[in-house]
Amino acid sequence: MERRKRIYLIMMGTCLTLYVLSWTVVRFWSSTAAIVMAIVASIIPPVAVILANRPD
């Protein structure tokens, strides 16, 4: 159970970091890259929930 929590928190931290970086830093250089980062960040939460709730 502890491993699942750690994986979930790492994935959600990555998601949050991607969102923040995409719209505060990356958008000044490439709006396309910022949009791709945001799309990838929006895919991470459902995957994190699926991995955290999978049966043993």
Side-chain angles (χ1 to χ4, degrees):
M1 186 68 165
E2 197 64 33
R3 183 173 180 265
R4 287 188 201 178
K5 284 183 185 179
R6 191 174 338 121
I7 290 172
Y8 178 80
L9 289 175
I10 289 170
M11 291 182 78
M12 294 308 286
T14 303
C15 174
L16 182 63
T17 303
L18 283 173
Y19 271 128
V20 170
L21 286 178
S22 70
W23 297 117
T24 58
V25 178
V26 177
R27 70 181 171 106
F28 294 120
W29 288 286
S30 172
S31 59
T32 305
I35 292 169
V36 169
M37 286 174 68
I39 290 170
V40 169
S42 67
I43 294 170
I44 292 174
V47 173
V49 169
I50 290 169
L51 290 178
N53 290 318
R54 69 178 180 224
D56 290 334

